[in-house]
Amino acid sequence: MRVFSGLDEFAGAVGEHLGFSDWHTITQERVRLFADATDDHQWIHLDTERAAKGPFGTTIAHGYLTLSLLPMFGAEVYRVDNLTMGVNYGLNKVRFPQPVKVGSKVRAGAELVEVTDVTGGKQAVVKWTIEIEGEEKPACVAEFVVRLIG
């Protein structure tokens, strides 16, 4: 994990790759829990028998499940100390180039793209690439916008 002592040090890392998270296995149980939380019970996520005959050969994670793992990945990749708080501000762009098959392992890498001043702190854009072990294409590429308040 990369640790920054504060906002100024973090801002100095613009253009740098911040590191990678650990690998995490996407289980059918996690997919089911996400389906229950979002009321998205599409068969490609939950019906293992039907999905085995479908386009992916197995069940797949929801794209938004993959995206929702960014806070977990972030906590493994970097930390900015001496903050009052950090707030998710939004997303600039999100793409899901490759589905995540249940049982796959995923990890995320982060690149600090931009840091700008805002009242009380900084706004950062972090480009996340969520990789699937053994696959060429990533599962997700997202520009995540966060406000960090000193």
Side-chain angles (χ1 to χ4, degrees):
M1 171 184 290
R2 189 157 175 194
V3 178
F4 297 93
S5 63
L7 289 172
D8 290 335
E9 184 181 345
F10 182 64
V14 168
E16 295 180 21
H17 194 272
L18 303 178
F20 290 97
S21 72
D22 295 331
W23 289 100
H24 296 271
T25 301
I26 300 300
T27 64
Q28 188 65 57
E29 176 66 6
R30 181 178 285 222
V31 171
R32 185 192 62 73
L33 289 168
F34 188 85
D36 288 346
T38 61
D39 285 331
D40 182 353
H41 295 97
Q42 189 176 168
W43 65 269
I44 61 172
H45 306 303
L46 301 173
D47 187 336
T48 55
E49 289 181 25
R50 185 173 176 193
K53 299 172 191 161
F56 308 111
T58 189
T59 50
I60 61 169
H62 305 72
Y64 288 121
L65 166 57
T66 304
L67 182 65
S68 74
L69 298 175
L70 286 179
M72 175 189 71
F73 292 138
E76 295 179 355
V77 173
Y78 74 92
R79 182 179 80 227
V80 182
D81 288 340
N82 300 306
L83 295 178
T84 303
M85 67 177 174
V87 179
N88 297 333
Y89 194 71
L91 297 157
N92 288 339
K93 183 177 179 179
V94 179
R95 297 290 183 265
F96 302 105
Q98 174 95 358
V100 178
K101 295 177 180 180
V102 169
S104 297
K105 290 184 178 182
V106 294
R107 75 171 182 176
E111 177 188 344
L112 185 56
V113 175
E114 176 183 295
V115 175
T116 55
D117 291 327
V118 294
T119 302
K122 305 276 187 195
Q123 178 171 295
V125 177
V126 180
K127 180 182 177 185
W128 287 95
T129 302
I130 302 175
E131 302 174 342
I132 307 167
E133 188 175 53
E135 298 287 343
E136 275 189 45
K137 288 193 217 175
C140 179
V141 180
E143 288 185 4
F144 188 78
V145 184
V146 62
R147 291 251 171 124
L148 303 171
I149 308 303

